Amino acid sequence: MKAIKSYGYTVKAPKRMLKEVKKNMQDKRCCINWFNFFVGDMFYTDNGNYRVNIADHENRTIQFINKRR
């Protein structure tokens, strides 16, 4: 698990998810509204699905884990 700064939030997630987030950040038409994510919400990517494990909006931190089947 790694962490990056994204749209004002610290996002902690598996490397594969962060690769997709970084790709989205390169697109000027894209914006991820992390403040709309809460525990249990899903983030879908081409390389897997990830679930919010921790959402601390006061400290602008969000953490994702791989979705368990």
Side-chain angles (χ1 to χ4, degrees):
M1 184 153 322
K2 293 180 73 175
I4 63 169
K5 289 286 189 179
S6 173
Y7 303 107
Y9 270 70
T10 298
V11 180
K12 298 177 184 176
K15 291 178 187 179
R16 291 178 62 148
M17 179 185 157
L18 293 180
K19 181 178 177 183
E20 188 77 20
V21 170
K22 288 178 185 178
K23 180 178 157 186
N24 288 338
M25 289 172 60
Q26 297 297 317
D27 185 347
K28 300 293 184 202
R29 300 170 296 167
C30 180
C31 181
I32 302 170
N33 296 317
W34 297 118
F35 56 84
N36 286 328
F37 283 85
F38 296 94
V39 173
D41 288 350
M42 298 296 295
F43 187 86
Y44 300 98
T45 69
D46 292 339
N47 59 21
N49 302 326
Y50 302 90
R51 183 174 53 84
V52 176
N53 187 39
I54 298 170
D56 182 356
H57 296 294
E58 185 174 311
N59 293 312
R60 299 179 69 90
T61 302
I62 192 160
Q63 180 176 318
F64 289 84
I65 57 173
N66 285 339
K67 178 184 175 213
R68 303 282 186 232
R69 296 192 189 276

